[in-house]
Amino acid sequence: TEEGQIHYQVEDGIFKQLCRQAQNDPDHEYLLIIDEINRANIAKVFGELITLIEDDKRLEEDHEITVQLPYSKDTFGVPKNLLILGTMNTADRSIALLDIALRRRFTFIEQMPDPTLLSSVADVDLRQLLTQLNCRIVALLGRDYQIGHSYLMGVDSPEALHFAWYRQIIPLLQEYFYNDWARLKA
């Protein structure tokens, strides 16, 4: 301002906008997808809102909770027709405490590798390749480190297989077995 003061204009963020949209349209479900939610600083992302997204704390639920937002002073709650889907990679052990905190509050569905979704390319049975690779990984590291089927989905040519193997799978294995060439070779 002319007086040398700084003022910030309060604007609704994506989460608040989506909550308001869902609240004003209760006949439809809305979905917010947060990829690799465990990579975020949950305290900074949600703050006290972490409680508001629990099923029984949603608007119109038995233990409904609302808060007064600090800047806008609006009353805010999360509608029950807003679904939140968060993905997490359980192989990342740095998220163990966060994982436990989230598991206390939310439903989890484990998605393990599914070789049946794959086919063959250039006489290479991708189902068998993924199955054998994951058997070795489980034996050496544990089940949480398995390679997902997504690495090989859509592989429809020898060139695509070469790319997936040498540019995606091998670098991941090198990370898994950093400085352990004997186990990497296995």
Side-chain angles (χ1 to χ4, degrees):
T1 65
E2 291 179 11
E3 296 82 29
Q5 298 296 316
I6 297 176
H7 292 278
Y8 295 98
Q9 183 175 347
V10 176
E11 294 183 10
D12 292 347
I14 294 169
F15 184 64
K16 184 177 176 187
Q17 290 173 22
L18 190 56
C19 284
R20 292 286 187 229
Q21 189 174 354
Q23 191 175 358
N24 292 332
D25 187 11
D27 296 331
H28 294 93
E29 289 187 328
Y30 287 77
L31 175 65
L32 174 64
I33 300 173
I34 306 172
D35 190 29
E36 296 201 28
I37 191 170
N38 54 294
R39 296 278 179 202
N41 181 332
I42 296 298
K44 284 187 177 180
V45 171
F46 287 110
E48 63 188 43
L49 299 182
I50 192 76
T51 301
L52 299 183
I53 60 180
E54 294 179 33
D55 289 339
D56 66 330
K57 310 292 190 309
R58 303 276 185 117
L59 296 174
E60 300 177 24
E61 292 298 333
D62 291 340
H63 300 100
E64 173 184 314
I65 294 177
T66 60
V67 295
Q68 183 180 29
L69 298 175
Y71 296 113
S72 67
K73 304 301 182 202
D74 291 343
T75 299
F76 181 77
V78 178
K80 60 185 177 182
N81 62 329
L82 173 61
L83 307 175
I84 301 173
L85 187 144
T87 67
M88 291 181 13
N89 182 349
T90 58
D92 184 350
R93 289 293 156 215
S94 66
I95 55 103
L97 293 176
L98 169 65
D99 190 13
I100 291 168
L102 290 173
R103 285 183 189 274
R104 279 196 330 246
R105 293 178 169 91
F106 306 105
T107 302
F108 279 74
I109 301 170
E110 183 176 56
Q111 179 63 50
M112 296 303 291
D114 185 357
T116 65
L117 298 173
L118 304 174
S119 59
S120 294
V121 62
D123 295 327
V124 176
D125 183 345
L126 299 179
R127 295 173 295 264
Q128 186 65 24
L129 174 69
L130 184 65
T131 300
Q132 289 298 335
L133 179 61
N134 280 332
C135 282
R136 291 179 185 169
I137 290 171
V138 168
L140 295 168
L141 291 174
R143 69 186 295 273
D144 289 340
Y145 290 88
Q146 294 179 75
I147 303 288
H149 53 266
S150 64
Y151 284 97
L152 298 171
M153 288 188 72
V155 170
D156 57 1
S157 69
E159 295 79 20
L161 178 56
H162 185 273
F163 181 85
W165 187 258
Y166 289 103
R167 299 287 182 224
Q168 297 175 314
I169 295 173
I170 292 295
L172 180 59
L173 294 174
Q174 288 172 326
E175 185 67 28
Y176 282 176
F177 299 105
Y178 185 74
N179 280 340
D180 191 346
W181 297 107
R183 289 199 320 163
L184 178 58
K185 184 178 179 183

